[in-house]
Amino acid sequence: MGRVETFDFYFPYKNVDKSIHIYLPEGEGPFPVLYMYDGHNLFFNSWATYGTSWGLKDFMDNYPQPMIIVGIECSHQGSERLWEYSPYKIEQSIFGSGLIDGYGKQYMEWLVNTLKPHIDNKYPTLSDRQNTAVGGSSMGGLMAFYSGLAHNKTFSKIASLSPSLFFCKKQLMEEWEHSQIDPDSRFYFSFGEEEIENSPQALSPVEYFNDAIQQAGASSMIHIQAGGGHNEATWAAQNQRYIAFLFEER
């Protein structure tokens, strides 16, 4: 059985410590690594904001391919999570937040250049691009997709579940034009069936980028979870699907 450790790691841009929740499988390794946003929601219901987690501790304990999962907890102060998980300044109000002066770019520089080297030095990781993945949901799904564009030299596998791409599609399209996507990249997108019925505009940018990724010679897919909504239970139900796709389980 694997174990979950928690430690604080300094984020200088905001002068705060970020809580890191890391799943470590049994064995000596080295292991592939999956970085994920909203790390407090990943492993235990008792830690999760709404009382339901992704159940990744139990899932990985029974999954045949061991890997390390690094969950980075978001800020819980007001609307700070929206700023933290937006790579851009957003003039329009989303979720009643008002203007968002996003600092996701600085956050990603910290993750790639400071947190990741720390994880690679401390734990038995396979640190190369081929064995490094990133994932998240909602605003974390936006950050995961942005990670795959802006830091494709670091991340070869991207899980973007229920991603909030629609309000910054223009900026992401500009980001895409300046990105060099390695053909050995894998992008997993998904939505719950019910959230698409309630917010059909959310699917359009994902379809656009799914086509663009495939035209660039990389692998991409969109999954619609039957009966699914915008919640942890829907994302947890896809653990097998997105991990198998990203790591090419046969």
Side-chain angles (χ1 to χ4, degrees), residues 113-155:
N113 296 318
T114 305
L115 177 60
K116 184 179 185 298
H118 174 78
I119 297 295
D120 290 335
N121 287 332
K122 185 175 181 180
Y123 299 101
T125 68
L126 292 167
S127 61
D128 60 297
R129 177 184 181 277
Q130 181 63 26
N131 288 287
T132 306
V134 61
S137 59
S138 192
M139 288 295 290
L142 163 61
M143 276 294 282
F145 179 60
Y146 171 77
S147 305
L149 296 189
H151 295 278
N152 196 254
K153 291 182 179 179
T154 298
F155 303 106

Side-chain angles (χ1 to χ4, degrees), residues 5-52:
E5 296 181 357
T6 297
F7 62 90
D8 290 335
F9 196 76
Y10 184 60
F11 179 40
Y13 185 78
K14 298 296 287 186
N15 192 29
V16 296
D17 287 328
K18 303 293 293 179
S19 294
I20 310 298
H21 308 288
I22 181 167
Y23 172 84
L24 299 166
E26 287 185 320
E28 297 183 358
F31 304 106
V33 184
L34 170 59
Y35 289 85
M36 296 190 75
Y37 304 109
D38 295 309
H40 54 293
N41 288 332
L42 301 179
F43 301 115
F44 304 111
N45 291 344
S46 59
W47 292 3
T49 300
Y50 301 108
T52 300

